[in-house]
Amino acid sequence: MDIIAKHLAAIDRLCAEEFPAEPGTSGRRTAGPGYFTVELETDQELTADDVDALRQGIAERLHDRLGEQLPWGQLTVRVRMERGEGIPEPWATLADRTDALDVWRIPETGRWIALGVADREDQEQTRLLVTVTETDPP
């Protein structure tokens, strides 16, 4: 199984799981009421450029499945948070960690998939993140 297929299978499993009632973290997975966020890869395993290329490959396959979407910039969400607006999880954390997301809505379930590279200046490593949530984007 190629690496993109492996990560798509992980995303499919997340899409089918029940969300936890309480927040928690286990290894590379953070979960809370209504969401899961998983680190699929880090730049310890691949170079930062490889992590972004992997994001693009996964995004292309999700575009084929769920329709092509424009990248979702996070600057506006960060500005709204700085102004004191309450942004729900997992979107607030994603805005802190990523500059842009690829976001799709799964029509059958109403859940959202967000895929992004966490590579902001204050982070030690580049990480490929996927979030599955039932909370609409802000």
Side-chain angles (χ1 to χ4, degrees):
M1 178 184 298
D2 72 31
I3 192 166
I4 292 174
K6 176 183 112 177
H7 291 318
L8 287 169
I11 292 167
D12 290 342
R13 285 190 302 274
L14 286 175
C15 289
E17 277 188 53
E18 292 295 319
F19 295 117
E22 299 294 324
T25 301
S26 174
R28 293 180 171 198
R29 179 178 169 144
T30 303
Y35 73 92
F36 299 109
T37 298
V38 176
E39 293 179 9
L40 298 174
E41 295 285 344
T42 70
D43 65 1
Q44 281 185 327
E45 298 145 345
L46 302 169
T47 69
D49 288 341
D50 289 339
V51 171
D52 191 56
L54 183 56
R55 180 205 54 80
Q56 290 176 20
I58 294 169
E60 287 174 13
R61 300 274 282 279
L62 289 171
H63 287 319
D64 291 344
R65 286 185 188 180
L66 300 168
E68 190 156 346
Q69 305 297 316
L70 295 174
W72 184 288
Q74 298 288 69
L75 179 59
T76 302
V77 177
R78 285 195 296 275
V79 168
R80 289 169 57 193
M81 290 184 338
E82 288 172 7
R83 292 181 178 164
E85 185 175 336
I87 302 296
E89 289 299 340
W91 303 106
T93 298
L94 289 170
D96 280 339
R97 297 184 72 189
T98 64
D99 285 325
L101 294 169
D102 294 290
V103 179
W104 302 266
R105 186 163 192 273
I106 306 167
E108 300 82 17
T109 64
R111 289 184 173 192
W112 295 87
I113 299 171
L115 181 69
V117 176
D119 61 354
R120 306 250 349 250
E121 298 165 3
D122 57 339
Q123 300 188 26
E124 295 175 20
Q125 294 179 334
T126 300
R127 293 174 166 82
L128 178 61
L129 304 176
V130 64
T131 295
V132 174
T133 183
E134 62 187 8
T135 303
D136 291 342

